[in-house]
Amino acid sequence: MSFGQAIKSFWAKYATFTGRARRSEYWYAWLFVALVGAAVSILFPGSDDMSSPQSNLWSLATLVPGLAIGARRLHDTGRSGKNLWWLVLPVVGWIILLVYVLEDSKPGANEYGDPVK
């Protein structure tokens, strides 16, 4: 999946927690979110102790699709989207989730749908 296709899919499946997402779709989407987030932070810097309202708005706008693409990526590896709860656990949970999303897609159909590869 190309960068542009991943961005289109990210917004088109805004709150779709079903189905599967390839690694390229997941990582391109997060690259887009990070690049735009950095640009917003540069263009609209916040004060010393607070981020700008524009930055907060971008974070809020990408929260639901970020969780949705994370759940779809986990589905592609054969895991439940409930594994996103690892994010609550600082450092260790993030490492566990990183290992999960870095795994290759499970071949063939699984309980979450047909393969996207």
Side-chain angles (χ1 to χ4, degrees):
M1 177 171 280
S2 72
F3 185 69
Q5 290 171 330
I7 294 167
K8 286 179 189 174
S9 176
F10 180 74
W11 292 114
K13 297 178 181 179
Y14 191 89
T16 304
F17 288 83
T18 58
R20 297 168 69 166
R22 297 177 70 168
R23 275 189 294 193
S24 60
E25 179 182 356
Y26 179 80
W27 290 111
Y28 279 150
W30 280 116
L31 176 63
F32 168 73
V33 168
L35 290 174
V36 173
V40 169
S41 295
I42 291 169
L43 293 173
F44 304 101
S47 63
D48 289 338
D49 57 343
M50 289 179 48
S51 58
S52 69
Q54 293 85 353
S55 181
N56 292 337
L57 185 61
W58 176 250
S59 296
L60 187 60
T62 57
L63 177 65
V64 172
L67 291 172
I69 200 168
R72 291 194 313 270
R73 177 69 199 128
L74 287 169
H75 291 168
D76 197 42
T77 64
R79 292 184 175 80
S80 169
K82 293 177 184 176
N83 280 293
L84 286 174
W85 281 105
W86 284 111
L87 289 171
V88 175
L89 228 135
V91 185
V92 174
W94 302 344
I95 292 170
I96 291 170
L97 194 60
L98 180 64
V99 168
Y100 288 171
V101 298
L102 285 173
E103 283 185 6
D104 197 10
S105 304
K106 296 293 180 195
N110 64 17
E111 63 187 284
Y112 304 107
D114 293 326
V116 290
K117 228 178 189 179

